[in-house]
């Protein structure tokens, strides 16, 4: 009997054209919670992420900033916020090429699995809207309904590969016949564990690795509105949504400022 297979997709800059962590600034500047200058700095952080890639050191700084910022947040409120504002945040961010690839893999009978270092509160709703079968994402520690600021599980670098191997052992995936897609050199381990690795809009280091290993290189250039591909819930922006989003945007500002300092 043929074993099941899957296509594993990174999220940021592979399925969507921005960092899902830094995509909030415009909405919350409009709500009056961050200044125009702060919004522009957050936009700069997004630009750096998009053009230069994020290495291990940068990702670790971002992880630390975001985990500290969310300490004390009410979990139910955060989940409501994501539901209420997701369509504003992710539109138009989805690469048409990624959506088409998912459709092709589904037609071939493969599961779609999103594997992301971003938080599950954002990744899981996006996965649901895209029709993903499973999601692997970072999980924050929760005590008495609030985030503590600690991370329970960080889906990053080697851990992505371990998670894929664990899921494959549980489900029965034939990894030699599975596919994986990512843009970042931090995901080399994820790409190595499948039989069909592909790099998407790769950063410099990953492009060099792809050339050396003869991995196919894909170019995704057409972001489309997510609502044009799948139905989205109606937007119901709230002050609570603006407040939490403003804090997340501030995380982008802090990361950008730290990155610009000389080392």
């Amino acid at each position: 009997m043929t074993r099941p297979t899957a296509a594993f997709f990174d999220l940021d800059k592979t399925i969507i054209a921005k960092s899902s962590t830094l995509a909030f600034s415009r909405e919350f500047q409009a709500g009056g919670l961050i200044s125009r200058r702060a919004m522009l700095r957050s936009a700069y952080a997004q630009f750096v992420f998009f053009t230069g890639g994020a290495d291990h050191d940068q990702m670790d700084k971002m992880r630390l900033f975001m985990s500290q910022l969310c300490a004390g947040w009410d979990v139910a409120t955060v989940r409501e916020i994501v539901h209420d504002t997701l369509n504003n945040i992710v539109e138009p961010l989805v690469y048409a090429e990624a959506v088409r690839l998912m459709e092709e893999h589904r037609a071939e009978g493969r599961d779609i699995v999103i594997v992301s270092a971003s938080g599950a509160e954002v990744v899981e709703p996006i996965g649901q809207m895209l029709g993903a079968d499973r999601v692997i994402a970072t999980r924050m520690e929760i005590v008495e309904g609030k985030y503590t600021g600690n991370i329970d599980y960080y889906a990053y670098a080697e851990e992505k590969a371990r998670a894929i191997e664990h899921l494959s052992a549980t489900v029965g995936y034939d990894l030699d016949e599975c596919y994986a897609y990512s843009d970042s050199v931090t995901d080399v381990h994820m790409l190595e564990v499948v039989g069909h690795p592909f790099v998407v809009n790769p950063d410099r280091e990953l492009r060099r690795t792809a050339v050396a290993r003869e991995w196919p290189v894909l170019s995704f250039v057409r972001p489309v509105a997510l609502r044009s591909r799948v139905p989205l819930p109606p937007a119901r922006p709230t002050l609570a949504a603006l407040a939490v989003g403003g804090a997340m945007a501030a995380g982008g500002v802090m990361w950008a400022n730290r990155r610009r300092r000389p080392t």
Side-chain angles (χ1 to χ4, degrees):
M1 183 176 295
T2 304
R3 293 168 60 189
T5 57
F8 300 94
F9 287 82
D10 175 47
L11 179 60
D12 296 352
K13 295 171 62 182
T14 301
I15 295 176
I16 63 176
K18 293 185 180 181
S19 160
S20 54
T21 302
L22 298 176
F24 297 87
S25 56
R26 184 177 63 181
E27 287 80 7
F28 305 113
Q29 192 269 339
L33 294 172
I34 61 173
S35 68
R36 177 174 174 78
R37 181 175 181 179
M39 185 195 71
L40 292 174
R41 288 184 179 178
S42 186
Y44 169 78
Q46 182 68 260
F47 171 78
V48 169
F49 180 86
F50 186 79
T51 58
D55 61 21
H56 290 275
D57 183 58
Q58 295 160 20
M59 287 293 292
D60 196 55
K61 290 175 182 177
M62 189 184 298
R63 173 196 60 79
L64 178 62
F65 289 146
M66 299 314 300
S67 61
Q68 290 174 342
L69 280 170
C70 77
W73 290 354
D74 179 77
V75 175
T77 301
V78 170
R79 290 174 178 166
E80 178 184 3
I81 288 163
V82 171
H83 177 272
D84 289 350
T85 63
L86 188 61
N87 54 340
N88 293 329
I89 293 170
V90 302
E91 181 189 16
L93 298 179
V94 179
Y95 281 120
E97 296 92 341
V99 175
R100 186 177 65 251
L101 263 179
M102 291 181 186
E103 293 169 347
E104 292 172 357
H105 282 299
R106 287 193 193 97
E108 294 292 330
R110 298 184 189 95
D111 286 351
I112 304 300
V113 183
I114 296 177
V115 188
S116 176
S118 295
E121 290 77 10
V122 171
V123 180
E124 288 176 355
I126 293 176
Q128 289 172 2
M129 288 188 292
L130 289 169
D133 297 279
R134 294 175 175 85
V135 164
I136 296 168
T138 293
R139 298 190 301 272
M140 301 299 298
E141 182 184 58
I142 298 170
V143 174
E144 297 181 352
K146 297 183 182 298
Y147 295 109
T148 66
N150 298 322
I151 294 178
D152 262 345
Y153 175 75
Y154 191 29
Y156 174 67
E158 293 94 333
E159 186 54 40
K160 283 190 177 183
R162 285 191 286 268
I164 289 172
E165 290 174 329
H166 177 74
L167 178 62
S168 297
T170 301
V171 177
Y173 292 140
D174 181 354
L175 283 177
D176 287 339
E177 297 300 325
C178 287
Y179 292 69
Y181 301 86
S182 180
D183 69 288
S184 174
V185 70
T186 61
D187 285 341
V188 163
H189 305 283
M190 164 181 163
L191 296 169
E192 287 176 333
V193 298
V194 302
H196 303 282
F198 288 78
V199 303
V200 177
N201 299 343
D203 58 33
R204 291 179 183 176
E205 290 298 323
L206 183 58
R207 183 176 293 276
R208 280 196 285 264
T209 299
V211 170
R213 301 191 185 189
E214 299 184 343
W215 289 347
V217 178
L218 305 180
S219 178
F220 290 179
V221 297
R222 294 197 304 117
V224 296
L226 186 57
R227 69 178 62 206
S228 72
R229 311 294 299 214
V230 290
L232 287 172
R236 294 185 290 111
T238 63
L239 288 179
L242 295 174
V244 173
M248 296 188 75
V253 174
M254 293 170 66
W255 175 70
N257 289 341
R258 177 69 67 86
R259 192 177 189 276
R260 293 180 71 183
R261 293 174 187 169
T263 56

